[in-house]
């Protein structure tokens, strides 16, 4: 099933603009400590809801439990995204970058290109929540790509589990580094069907 991702992004932005989140209680896993970098989302959430815009992000790595619809609990994942318009036209173009970074997981630093080195270290460590930005060349254009750890709240995604790699997120990169997956109630029916494989 093919869909116009750009059109669907615009429609999801419209859905959100009509009824933006003013206040939302984010569930907090029992394992999360205030010293964990993921705790920052609970501090930044109101900034996100007030200033955030909807973008597409591409999954790089996720806790294995998030792929199991029968599992419980919210867990972290690593995503990359760009605010460049190319991310609106074709977010899947970032899949290659995600695959490249993941391929360096566990590799010695000297074997990793400098611009991907820190991201690969974070993916390998799994508990490092540092946010990064680095340039990626796509065709004849260089675009800024942001890498970050995200708390995946199961209730916000169809099937309560990770399915596929492209997700709409709320981000306010000029205000904070945190992002949150756009709750599924704002998704278009077409995008939801594309994500879940349902007709």
């Amino acid at each position: 099933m093919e869909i116009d991702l750009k059109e669907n992004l615009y429609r999801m932005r419209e859905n959100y603009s009509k009824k933006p989140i003013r206040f939302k209680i984010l569930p907090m896993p029992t394992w999360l400590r205030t010293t964990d970098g993921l705790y920052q989302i609970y501090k930044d959430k109101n900034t996100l809801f007030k200033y955030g815009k909807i973008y597409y992000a591409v999954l790089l790595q996720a806790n294995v439990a998030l792929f199991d619809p029968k599992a419980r609990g919210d867990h972290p994942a690593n995503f990359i995204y760009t605010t460049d318009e190319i991310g609106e036209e074709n977010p899947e173009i970032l899949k290659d970058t995600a695959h490249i970074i993941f391929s360096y997981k566990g590799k010695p630093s000297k074997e990793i290109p400098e611009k991907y080195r820190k991201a690969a270290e974070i993916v390998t460590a799994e508990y490092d929540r540092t946010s990064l930005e680095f340039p990626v060349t796509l065709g004849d254009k260089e675009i800024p790509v942001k890498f970050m750890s995200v708390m995946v709240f199961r209730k916000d995604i169809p099937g309560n589990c990770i399915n596929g790699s492209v997700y709409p997120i709320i981000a306010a990169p000029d205000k904070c580094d945190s992002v949150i997956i756009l709750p599924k109630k704002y998704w278009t029916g077409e995008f939801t069907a594309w994500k879940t494989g349902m007709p």
Side-chain angles (χ1 to χ4, degrees), residues 107-113 117:
K107 298 285 181 66
S109 293
K110 63 182 180 182
E111 296 180 14
I112 306 173
R117 193 168 295 157

Side-chain angles (χ1 to χ4, degrees), residues 27 29 45 90 96 105-106 108 111 120-121 125 129 169 173:
K45 65 174 186 171
N90 182 18
D96 285 345
K105 182 175 181 176
E111 296 180 14
E121 289 174 358
R129 318 299 190 190
I169 59 168

Side-chain angles (χ1 to χ4, degrees), residues 6-17:
K6 181 178 181 179
E7 178 190 353
N8 276 272
L9 179 66
Y10 286 176
R11 286 162 54 196
M12 286 188 277
R13 284 176 175 169
E14 185 175 331
N15 291 344
Y16 187 76
S17 68

Side-chain angles (χ1 to χ4, degrees), residues 22-128:
R22 299 300 184 192
F23 176 79
K24 182 179 175 72
I25 295 176
L26 302 180
M28 189 176 299
T30 56
W31 54 262
L32 185 65
R33 301 290 178 264
T34 56
T35 52
D36 189 314
L38 282 172
Y39 187 77
Q40 190 63 35
I41 182 63
Y42 298 90
K43 297 179 179 179
D44 291 341
K45 65 174 186 171
N46 292 335
T47 298
L48 276 179
F49 300 150
K50 183 175 182 179
Y51 300 105
K53 183 177 177 181
I54 314 305
Y55 301 96
Y56 280 130
V58 171
L59 178 70
L60 196 154
Q61 171 178 260
N63 184 292
V64 65
L66 289 172
F67 296 95
D68 182 356
K70 296 180 180 179
R72 295 184 178 182
D74 301 320
H75 299 281
N78 296 123
F79 282 86
I80 57 174
Y81 80 100
T82 182
T83 58
D84 189 274
E85 62 183 11
I86 197 169
E88 300 177 0
E89 292 278 357
N90 182 18
E92 293 184 304
I93 202 166
L94 292 179
K95 280 185 178 181
D96 285 345
T97 300
H99 291 156
I100 288 170
I101 294 172
F102 188 78
S103 73
Y104 290 125
K105 182 175 181 176
K107 298 285 181 66
S109 293
K110 63 182 180 182
E111 296 180 14
I112 306 173
E114 186 175 353
K115 72 176 179 178
Y116 297 135
R117 193 168 295 157
K118 182 57 181 177
E121 289 174 358
I122 294 170
V123 169
T124 299
E126 296 187 352
Y127 292 100
D128 186 339

